[in-house]
Amino acid sequence: MATCTTPSSLMLTYAASTAHAQDLAPSFLSFKSNKSIIRLYPLVLRGRDRKSGLKWCNQCSQRTAKHVVAAVAAEAEVAEAVEEKEGAADGATTTATATAPPKPKKGKAALPLKRDRMRSKRFLEIQKLRENKKEYDLKTAISLLKEMTSTKFVETVEAHFRLNIDPKYNDQQLRATVNLPKGTGQTVKVAVLAQGEKVDEAKNAGADIVGGEDLIERIKGGFMEFDKLIASPDMMVKVASLGKILGPRGLMPNPKAGTVTPNIPQAIEEFKKGKLEYRADKTGIVHIRFGKVDFSEDDLLVNFLAAVKSIETNKPKGAKGVYWKSTHICTSMGPSIRLNIREMLDYKLPSSI
């Protein structure tokens, strides 16, 4: 095999012994440039061995070889020029892309917090009335809560207590009831499951729906037009069949919630006046609604402190360490306000309330 050295490091290869000089063209050659390898695949010719090919190469005239080398060198230079031009164009594009300034964001997209980008304009405006991480005293928080109301309907006021408990353990579960002295601001529709004389007692106490086995059949058929279901103890054997229907809705009668009792008239009166059942969710947070925004500040204070006292009284036996972790109050359509725990627990109602 004959090789010739050129500025582009050309390597000539002849693969046959029966080729003529005029047939020698760039398609018979392969050469290697400094940047990439460019191969021109040769035409397969007949030949017995390599020696004959070398013999033919040596017999080629020097003039013909010079023309071949010059043609191949020119072709290599053209390929290198094309590569350099493409590389320069790619570099310019990359530089332009890297130096292009980003488009400024406008509107909600410019807000730093992702959750705020999904809020309404009304919510973002009233959110400016309170500081995000500040802990407010109880009196100031309730006053601020009433200022932030901006909807066309009467919102419910809610309290959210984060406790240091883990409800997956039996001794750290929290479920109880609280009597709100000023009521909830909602009309509660009470249904009673009873039989015998207790049916008349329930009707006289102001129950909205009273029945026995007939009411059980109606509930199985999909009837759910009530907010509370109270049952007498002798009816619980029959009520057990409603567990799959009432359980997920939180309407299943339970002694801890005060909805299974022999004193049905008293239970009806308490729930009508504002008795609420609450329980800690799986994260250890208790959610309680304690009034409406059209309540006076004093009425909201009284109801809120009643809820705090109930949660403190029913503290689970397995709760260890700091019981109260954080407390927030809010309206149903407004931002939350964080309370100072120490001030909340030490707060005492004025004698005038």
Side-chain angles (χ1 to χ4, degrees), residues 5-80:
T5 305
T6 65
S8 57
S9 302
L10 302 176
M11 181 175 63
L12 308 181
T13 304
Y14 301 95
S17 62
T18 59
H20 297 286
Q22 60 270 23
D23 295 330
L24 188 62
S27 59
F28 285 86
L29 307 173
S30 66
F31 60 92
K32 186 191 325 183
S33 65
N34 293 333
K35 292 188 177 181
S36 60
I37 297 175
I38 301 175
R39 292 178 180 176
L40 304 175
Y41 292 95
L43 180 66
V44 178
L45 302 177
R46 296 179 182 177
R48 294 183 179 180
D49 52 18
R50 296 182 178 179
K51 293 182 179 181
S52 59
L54 293 173
K55 183 177 180 180
W56 173 86
C57 185
N58 293 331
Q59 292 177 357
C60 286
S61 63
Q62 184 176 3
R63 182 177 180 182
T64 305
K66 289 182 179 179
H67 287 297
V68 171
V69 171
V72 174
E75 188 171 339
E77 290 177 0
V78 171
E80 291 179 3

Side-chain angles (χ1 to χ4, degrees), residues 100-113:
K103 295 182 179 180
K105 297 181 180 180
K106 299 180 180 179
K108 292 184 179 180
L111 295 174
L113 296 179

Side-chain angles (χ1 to χ4, degrees), residues 119-288:
R119 304 290 191 184
S120 64
K121 292 182 179 178
R122 180 199 64 82
F123 187 94
L124 294 176
E125 286 298 324
I126 62 177
Q127 187 174 237
K128 298 176 183 177
L129 298 176
R130 63 101 168 99
E131 297 182 26
N132 190 22
K133 297 183 179 180
K134 181 179 177 180
E135 294 184 348
Y136 290 85
D137 61 271
L138 185 56
K139 187 74 174 177
T140 305
I142 290 181
S143 300
L144 186 58
L145 199 69
K146 293 177 71 66
E147 292 178 10
M148 293 195 301
T149 304
S150 61
T151 56
K152 297 181 181 180
F153 62 93
V154 180
E155 298 181 64
T156 300
V157 182
E158 305 169 357
H160 307 275
F161 305 95
R162 186 165 174 257
L163 307 176
N164 188 24
I165 58 175
D166 189 352
K168 71 180 181 181
Y169 300 106
N170 293 332
D171 61 347
Q172 295 188 40
Q173 294 178 357
L174 176 61
R175 182 174 183 178
T177 59
V178 55
N179 290 314
L180 299 179
K182 303 300 180 179
T184 60
Q186 297 177 339
T187 303
V188 181
K189 196 171 184 179
V190 179
V192 177
L193 284 170
Q195 58 186 358
E197 297 178 356
K198 295 189 180 297
V199 173
D200 295 330
E201 292 179 3
K203 290 180 179 179
N204 295 333
D208 299 286
I209 303 169
V210 182
E213 295 182 3
D214 57 335
L215 182 56
I216 292 176
E217 294 299 325
R218 289 175 64 188
I219 293 173
K220 288 181 179 179
F223 178 76
M224 288 290 171
E225 297 180 6
F226 52 86
D227 301 312
K228 286 293 177 182
L229 181 62
I230 301 173
S232 58
D234 56 348
M235 288 293 295
M236 286 306 296
V237 176
K238 300 176 181 179
V239 176
S241 60
L242 300 176
K244 293 183 179 180
I245 301 173
L246 300 176
R249 295 174 172 83
L251 296 173
M252 188 67 180
N254 190 303
K256 292 183 179 180
T259 50
V260 178
T261 174
N263 192 350
I264 291 179
Q266 181 182 352
I268 294 173
E269 183 181 1
E270 289 176 348
F271 282 108
K272 287 282 187 180
K273 286 184 176 180
K275 185 177 182 179
L276 286 178
E277 178 189 359
Y278 64 86
R279 65 190 304 173
D281 62 15
K282 62 181 180 181
T283 60
I285 300 177
V286 177
H287 312 274
I288 298 179

